[in-house]
Amino acid sequence: MQRSFSSFPAGWPGAGLLLLRVAVGFTAVMQSWLWLAEREQRTLLLWSIGLLALISGVALLIGYFTPVAGVLAGLGSLGFALSWFAAPGPHLFDQKLAAIFVAIMSAALVFLGPGAFSLDSRLFGRREVFIPPAARAPKA
């Protein structure tokens, strides 16, 4: 993961990435809840799309494997915008423009990375290595 990103920005840029991750992740979790709560159409496709959206949304919220989760969330919202997936009833993307905005924000997350306030930075971030001074023999 560290090879994918040269740094995990902190401060205001990190807060901006956190805000972007929360917006896309929360949208994916809410959309998955609407898919999984649908009682009329309980198909395997609907369940798999709902679980995939739930997993990618939660991963974005905590910042775990952000590039993969961003691609999954972006493809899901593009699927709605281009009508690949049938809407199971009430859904967040009443207009295609909203779905396209979520896909664009997901692409931005994939390209920018997770930021310092994420699980990815804790697991894969840069480490500082301390080398203790060499023990020297006392002078006689």
Side-chain angles (χ1 to χ4, degrees):
M1 186 68 66
Q2 183 179 353
R3 293 182 192 134
S4 300
F5 307 107
S6 60
S7 67
F8 293 91
W12 288 112
L17 286 170
L18 174 66
L19 185 63
L20 192 61
R21 270 194 359 254
V22 167
V24 175
F26 183 74
T27 304
V29 167
M30 290 305 296
Q31 184 64 46
S32 70
W33 178 74
L34 291 173
W35 273 323
L36 294 174
E38 180 62 31
R39 304 223 185 268
E40 296 171 5
Q41 301 176 357
R42 292 202 178 239
T43 63
L44 181 62
L45 179 65
L46 187 68
W47 276 95
S48 60
I49 291 171
L51 287 176
L52 192 62
L54 179 67
I55 290 168
S56 66
V58 169
L60 283 174
L61 283 174
I62 63 173
Y64 185 64
F65 286 118
T66 304
V68 175
V71 166
L72 292 176
L75 287 177
S77 63
L78 270 181
F80 265 113
L82 301 175
S83 298
W84 291 339
F85 310 127
H91 55 92
L92 296 175
F93 303 130
D94 286 333
Q95 296 182 0
K96 292 183 180 187
L97 188 60
I100 291 173
F101 282 157
V102 171
I104 290 170
M105 289 191 298
S106 298
L109 279 173
V110 170
F111 295 141
L112 293 174
F117 307 114
S118 66
L119 193 57
D120 282 341
S121 82
R122 300 287 179 225
L123 295 175
F124 308 113
R126 296 190 182 270
R127 303 280 189 257
E128 188 172 345
V129 178
F130 294 102
I131 301 174
R136 296 184 182 169
K139 294 182 181 181

